[in-house]
Amino acid sequence: VTASVNPGGDVAVLVAAAGSGLRLGPGPPKALRLLRGEPLLVHAVRRLLGCPEVGCLVVAAPPGHEEWVRDLVGPGVTVVSGGAHRRASVAAALAAVPERFGIVLVHDAARALTPPAQVAAVAAAVRAGNDAVIPVLPVVDTMTQVGPSGEVLGTLDRSGLRAVQTPQGFRRAVLTAAHAAAHTAAAGPAATDDAGLVERLGVRVYTVPGSELALKITTPLDLAAAELLLGA
Amino acid sequence: VTASVNPGGDVAVLVAAAGSGLRLGPGPPKALRLLRGEPLLVHAVRRLLGCPEVGCLVVAAPPGHEEWVRDLVGPGVTVVSGGAHRRASVAAALAAVPERFGIVLVHDAARALTPPAQVAAVAAAVRAGNDAVIPVLPVVDTMTQVGPSGEVLGTLDRSGLRAVQTPQGFRRAVLTAAHAAAHTAAAGPAATDDAGLVERLGVRVYTVPGSELALKITTPLDLAAAELLLGA
């Protein structure tokens, strides 16, 4: 990527890019899989750098692939070694953000086609005074809850459900506190994202509309769908 | 469709095909939208007729399109007029099932590529003694619950969530009782599928593995993904 961050931007973005991508089949780590000849991470970073508010971009790379990632993203982007799980990767990236950034967004490289407008909307909602902001979409499938042995506990009211995307935006102090609390806490319910960690602090989470383009690329079908979206 | 039901089959399948398909953009009702030159309903019916256990197939057609649907599905399939909402369509189709069928599956025409093996697995689980059976898949996105004014109530533990597909299978008496209860009940929480109605009777619901091929075709992107799946 030849673009760089905007020195005037007030938003730092952390990109979790250390996932394995096992569900895509054998191959390199997920963020380095190709979509139209370019790694997912490159698609993601290019879109993030298309947002003038982004003044700092930190990528948590798959351990062992840091140099490859540095070559891909260019000198305008910070690269750190990712951890064993997503939360550790985010914490490592957060530690690399200069003090002056008060707004931090956390993004997944696997949501490689997330439009810059979605990034801007999340950042704007934090700047407007919300401690935590998530982009969400309505849920199409009926969802049911199952117990530990797979027994059906009951259908959820779909009208009250939303699928959560990224980037998720936070006032920096809130995200830092949430990760510190998660690090020291006894094993609680598995939080799958940063907003989930922040909720445990009792922080109110605000939503903005997500987009179909921000789909999480997890399976070969998702990759094919992403190619279609790129062409559309 | 030139195939017909198998006179020796012990399973009746109801196909809800009366939806509007608004999210696919302007055009005919959803079940009549084309996928590789054939209506979704034809894809769905052909796969259902590929299951030797299917002895009765009833399609709830979009009101006003009954004759078109009859031409499409052929003489081996029963066509009834669908209702104003999905539940009414299923009830109308259920009323057309001959007494001798003790196992009834409810399917969505929008899940046009559902493999015959999934239909067979649901039917087999009902035959094995389960009152209600649903095919499910793990959930990829984090899910959050929102309140009436859109406020975030909290992240759900994704490990306990499943996306529910169709066909959903039932002992006939259970499905009949669930629809009768839903018809007479005061407005309760909106049940989005038949398993949701059955749960209200206190019936235990059993799960079998769903499949990516059984995706619900709702948006133009879904339609494009379905074309890819057809080619694969």
Side-chain angles (χ1 to χ4, degrees), chain A residues 47-73:
Chain A
R47 282 164 181 75
L48 291 167
L49 293 177
C51 301
E53 43 274 271
V54 175
C56 169
L57 187 51
V58 184
V59 174
H65 294 81
E66 292 85 351
E67 285 310 312
W68 185 2
V69 166
R70 250 178 221 115
D71 283 350
L72 285 173
V73 298

Side-chain angles (χ1 to χ4, degrees), chain A residues 111 139-146 152 154-156 160-164 192-193 199 205 207 212 218-219 224 228, chain B residues 111 139-146 152 154-156 160-164 192-193 199 205 207 212 218-219 224 228:
Chain A
R111 299 190 189 268
V139 172
V140 171
D141 280 326
T142 297
M143 292 285 159
T144 199
Q145 210 147 17
V146 300
V152 172
T155 299
L156 296 163
L161 291 180
R162 299 290 181 276
V164 182
T192 48
D193 61 6
E199 280 170 20
V205 177
T207 64
E212 206 170 34
T218 306
T219 66
L228 284 167
Chain B
R111 299 190 188 270
V139 173
V140 171
D141 282 324
T142 298
M143 292 285 159
T144 198
Q145 210 147 16
V146 298
V152 172
T155 299
L156 297 163
L161 291 180
R162 299 291 182 274
V164 182
T192 49
D193 61 5
E199 279 171 19
V205 177
T207 63
E212 205 170 34
T218 305
T219 66
L228 285 168

Side-chain angles (χ1 to χ4, degrees), chain B:
Chain B
V1 183
T2 53
S4 185
V5 295
N6 174 8
D10 65 341
V11 173
V13 183
L14 318 181
V15 180
S20 66
L22 286 180
R23 292 181 61 187
L24 281 169
K30 179 150 74 169
L32 301 172
R33 303 287 177 119
L34 299 185
L35 170 61
R36 288 249 174 124
E38 288 190 316
L40 294 180
L41 178 63
V42 169
H43 288 278
V45 165
R46 191 182 294 124
R47 283 164 179 76
L48 290 167
L49 294 176
C51 301
E53 44 275 271
V54 175
C56 169
L57 187 51
V58 184
V59 174
H65 295 80
E66 293 85 350
E67 285 311 311
W68 184 2
V69 167
R70 249 177 220 116
D71 284 351
L72 286 173
V73 298
V77 175
T78 305
V79 176
V80 300
S81 295
H85 49 81
R86 187 177 184 285
R87 178 158 60 79
S89 293
V90 173
L94 182 56
V97 175
E99 284 299 324
R100 73 178 182 89
F101 292 96
I103 300 175
V104 179
L105 272 51
V106 184
H107 193 41
D108 288 329
R111 299 190 188 270
L113 303 188
T114 304
Q118 181 164 326
V119 181
V122 170
V126 179
R127 197 179 293 111
N130 295 288
D131 284 337
V133 178
I134 55 177
V136 298
L137 278 186
V139 173
V140 171
D141 282 324
T142 298
M143 292 285 159
T144 198
Q145 210 147 16
V146 298
S149 55
E151 74 275 18
V152 172
L153 302 177
T155 299
L156 297 163
D157 178 6
R158 190 174 58 173
S159 69
L161 291 180
R162 299 291 182 274
V164 182
Q165 301 184 325
T166 70
Q168 304 187 348
F170 305 93
R171 194 158 60 79
R172 186 210 186 115
V174 166
L175 184 63
T176 304
H179 274 269
H183 186 66
T184 57
T192 49
D193 61 5
D194 297 276
L197 296 180
V198 161
E199 279 171 19
R200 295 189 200 170
L201 303 180
V203 170
R204 189 177 165 283
V205 177
Y206 184 83
T207 63
V208 296
S211 121
E212 205 170 34
L213 277 164
L215 85 160
K216 188 173 182 178
I217 299 172
T218 305
T219 66
L221 179 62
D222 297 332
L223 202 53
E227 292 213 19
L228 285 168
L229 285 167
L230 261 182

Side-chain angles (χ1 to χ4, degrees), chain A:
Chain A
V1 183
T2 54
S4 185
V5 295
N6 174 9
D10 65 341
V11 174
V13 184
L14 318 180
V15 180
S20 66
L22 286 178
R23 293 181 60 186
L24 281 170
K30 180 150 75 169
L32 301 171
R33 303 288 177 117
L34 300 184
L35 170 61
R36 288 251 174 123
E38 288 190 315
L40 293 181
L41 178 62
V42 169
H43 288 278
V45 165
R46 190 182 294 125
R47 282 164 181 75
L48 291 167
L49 293 177
C51 301
E53 43 274 271
V54 175
C56 169
L57 187 51
V58 184
V59 174
H65 294 81
E66 292 85 351
E67 285 310 312
W68 185 2
V69 166
R70 250 178 221 115
D71 283 350
L72 285 173
V73 298
V77 175
T78 305
V79 176
V80 301
S81 295
H85 49 81
R86 188 179 183 285
R87 180 158 59 80
S89 293
V90 172
L94 181 57
V97 175
E99 284 299 325
R100 71 176 184 91
F101 291 96
I103 300 175
V104 180
L105 272 51
V106 184
H107 194 39
D108 289 329
R111 299 190 189 268
L113 302 188
T114 303
Q118 181 163 327
V119 181
V122 170
V126 179
R127 197 178 295 112
N130 296 288
D131 284 337
V133 178
I134 55 176
V136 299
L137 278 186
V139 172
V140 171
D141 280 326
T142 297
M143 292 285 159
T144 199
Q145 210 147 17
V146 300
S149 56
E151 75 276 18
V152 172
L153 302 177
T155 299
L156 296 163
D157 179 6
R158 189 173 61 173
S159 68
L161 291 180
R162 299 290 181 276
V164 182
Q165 301 185 325
T166 69
Q168 304 186 349
F170 305 94
R171 194 158 59 81
R172 187 208 185 115
V174 166
L175 184 63
T176 304
H179 275 269
H183 188 66
T184 58
T192 48
D193 61 6
D194 297 276
L197 297 180
V198 161
E199 280 170 20
R200 296 189 201 169
L201 303 181
V203 170
R204 187 177 168 284
V205 177
Y206 184 83
T207 64
V208 297
S211 122
E212 206 170 34
L213 278 164
L215 86 160
K216 189 173 182 177
I217 299 171
T218 306
T219 66
L221 179 61
D222 297 331
L223 204 52
E227 293 214 17
L228 284 167
L229 285 168
L230 263 183

